[in-house]
């Protein structure tokens, strides 16, 4: 009989949201370390330690490739918002390496009028003397608890990335990605997330997906409700471990 302690723990790669960096995952990395789970959070192009690079979808996929290779070649990829879209896009193209996906705050289609409106706003902020730094900090202060805000700020904010990002992300189709993804997928959304507009369509598109709504949370669900989000993540990882162990038996 296989004991829980004998089941191999699948590694985790965590992908941040737009303008943020790998430091936003501090609470989850601490919890994963306590659980003995191999995990790494990375910076996507144009963010964090890669701030001087131009953002691109192709560069982001390459960053995930490198991270998954570094943890052993197969992993559960976890992402919030931009990171969630990237995780789904990567998993659809890498079935042998994707053990599972936890995609949070990315249940709207990127190619829609709202994205184009945000792109216009991003071009406006780019022309301001502080490139929107005051407004960004004000949003963080209003939306997040102090500890979460500190974790988010630790890696700095990518204020110049949004025009490239919003232009590129419109070419990503999560419905197509989900239809092509064969690993288990968890769509995790905050109850009050404005990115929930097409969550039922995304859920129906995936062969093996489930939807989790975190009560009382907004778009930044892993930061606003870190304990609840981490509980969902650990439960998802336990299911992936069991599947991987069964497949190897």
């Amino acid at each position: 009989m296989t004991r829980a302690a004998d089941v191999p723990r699948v590694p985790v790669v965590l992908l941040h949201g737009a303008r943020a960096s790998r430091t936003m995952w501090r609470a989850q990395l601490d919890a994963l370390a306590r659980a003995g789970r191999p995990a790494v959070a990375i910076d996507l192009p144009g963010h964090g330690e890669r701030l001087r690079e131009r953002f691109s979808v192709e560069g982001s996929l390459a960053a995930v490739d490198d991270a998954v290779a570094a943890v052993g070649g197969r992993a559960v990829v976890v992402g919030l918002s931009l990171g969630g879209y990237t995780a789904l896009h990567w998993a659809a193209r890498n079935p042998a390496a994707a053990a599972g996906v936890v995609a949070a705050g990315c249940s709207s289609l990127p190619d829609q009028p709202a994205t184009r409106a945000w792109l216009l706003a991003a071009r406006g902020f780019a022309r301001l003397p502080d490139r929107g730094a005051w407004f960004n900090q004000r949003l963080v202060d209003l939306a997040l608890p102090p500890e979460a805000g500190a974790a988010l700020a630790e890696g700095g904010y990518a204020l110049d990335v949004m025009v490239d990002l919003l232009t590129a992300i419109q070419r990503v189709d999560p419905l197509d990605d989900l239809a092509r993804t064969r690993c288990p997928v968890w769509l995790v959304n905050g109850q009050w997330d404005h990115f929930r507009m097409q969550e039922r369509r995304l859920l129906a598109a995936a062969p093996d997906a489930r939807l989790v709504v975190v009560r009382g949370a907004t778009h930044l669900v892993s930061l606003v409700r870190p304990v609840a989000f981490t509980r969902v993540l650990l439960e998802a990882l336990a299911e992936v471990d069991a599947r991987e162990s069964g497949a190897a038996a």
Side-chain angles (χ1 to χ4, degrees), residues 23-34:
T23 64
M24 66 164 282
W25 295 111
R26 181 191 296 164
Q28 286 72 40
L29 287 170
D30 288 347
L32 292 168
R34 290 193 299 271

Side-chain angles (χ1 to χ4, degrees), residues 37-38 41 70 93 100 120 123 127 135 170 190 192-193 202 231:
R37 174 80 55 175
R93 286 150 182 77
L120 287 174
R123 288 177 174 143
R127 291 192 290 267
F135 184 73
Q170 291 180 76
W192 308 117
D193 188 357
L202 268 67
R231 185 180 301 116

Side-chain angles (χ1 to χ4, degrees), residues 37 184 186 208 210 234-244:
R37 174 80 55 175
W186 284 260
D208 185 5
R210 64 281 290 145
L234 293 174
E235 290 174 356
L237 293 171
E239 181 175 330
V240 172
D241 286 347
R243 291 187 181 211
E244 296 282 300

Side-chain angles (χ1 to χ4, degrees), residues 24-25 27-28 80 104 139-149 151-152 189-194 214-230:
M24 66 164 282
W25 295 111
Q28 286 72 40
L80 173 69
L139 288 179
V140 170
D141 293 340
L142 290 172
L144 296 178
E147 185 174 351
L152 193 66
N189 294 322
Q191 181 182 6
W192 308 117
D193 188 357
H194 53 289
V214 179
R215 291 178 61 83
T218 54
H219 179 57
L220 300 176
V221 57
S222 63
L223 291 160
V224 174
R225 294 289 185 271
V227 174
F229 180 86
T230 302

